[in-house]
Amino acid sequence: RDYNNPISPSTITATNQQGALTFLFNSSYQNNVGWDATIICEPLPPCSNPPSNIYLNSTTTTSASLGWIENSNATSWEVEVVLQGQTPTGSGTIISSNPYSKSGLTSNTWYDFYIRSKCGNVNSTWTGPFKFNTKANYCEGDHFYDTGGPNENYTAYEYKNTTIYPTYGNRVKAVFNAPSALSS
């Protein structure tokens, strides 16, 4: 204890799902005054942990079913689905089912999914974006994109195998257009 310098570090509270704190001590060549900390183990506040492990159950050309792991014992959530890259409003739809089915989407379109837990009047932080795309209706004019979609580049070391089946009595023909403005 350094009684000549009564300033002590502030209180540090865990914010991760496990409620754990990790301290790393690394001293220099000098001997210095140490510290004294009182450790308090307390219940997590309601809705302190947002949902995690968001996954895509299924998609159609106009809908998507998304699920997640609930980490705060919530039984209702607020979700927001926006076009990929669009800024969310922060005010979503209140739901009480996991997984959640979103309809009214556009085919062959990339979306961002955001979610937070609701525990009475308390909400967790938002988590997201989780990116997903609806299935394409190629025979109705949808485009076939790389994994970056129409607005982003694909990433290094990807491997994706896609088979496009036509409607009965038709065949598939691919006409490749010029690369997007994002490619290098």
Side-chain angles (χ1 to χ4, degrees):
R1 291 186 222 324
D2 182 357
Y3 294 104
N4 295 326
N5 186 6
I7 298 173
S8 64
S10 63
T11 300
I12 302 170
T13 303
T15 59
N16 58 55
Q17 291 181 8
Q18 298 80 20
L21 286 175
T22 301
F23 298 93
L24 175 62
F25 175 72
N26 186 10
S27 66
S28 65
Y29 64 92
Q30 299 175 334
N31 290 336
N32 284 311
V33 174
W35 68 87
D36 177 9
T38 300
I39 302 298
I40 300 170
C41 295
E42 60 188 7
L44 290 169
C47 269
S48 58
N49 295 316
S52 62
N53 298 339
I54 299 168
Y55 56 92
L56 182 64
N57 275 335
S58 63
T59 60
T60 69
T61 57
T62 60
S63 68
S65 174
L66 300 123
W68 56 89
I69 301 297
E70 172 51 42
N71 297 307
S72 292
N73 295 322
T75 57
S76 63
W77 302 269
E78 188 172 4
V79 298
E80 188 168 2
V81 177
V82 296
L83 290 171
Q84 181 182 10
Q86 182 179 350
T87 303
T89 65
S91 178
T93 302
I94 307 297
I95 62 163
S96 59
S97 64
N98 179 7
Y100 166 65
S101 293
K102 172 68 175 168
S103 60
L105 303 174
T106 303
S107 67
N108 201 29
T109 303
W110 286 88
Y111 291 93
D112 290 338
F113 176 74
Y114 297 86
I115 184 169
R116 67 179 173 182
S117 298
K118 296 193 68 59
C119 303
N121 293 331
V122 179
N123 299 326
S124 73
T125 58
W126 285 99
T127 188
F130 172 79
K131 297 177 185 315
F132 71 93
N133 70 305
T134 51
K135 288 187 176 182
N137 191 348
Y138 296 118
C139 292
E140 293 296 321
D142 284 344
H143 286 250
F144 177 57
Y145 297 106
D146 57 61
T147 55
N151 300 316
E152 295 184 15
N153 290 332
Y154 59 85
T155 60
Y157 306 109
E158 286 190 28
Y159 176 81
K160 183 177 180 184
N161 185 351
T162 303
T163 302
I164 300 171
Y165 294 96
T167 55
Y168 180 76
N170 293 307
R171 68 178 182 181
V172 173
K173 176 180 174 180
V175 177
F176 287 88
N177 303 307
S180 71
L182 294 173
S183 62
S184 54

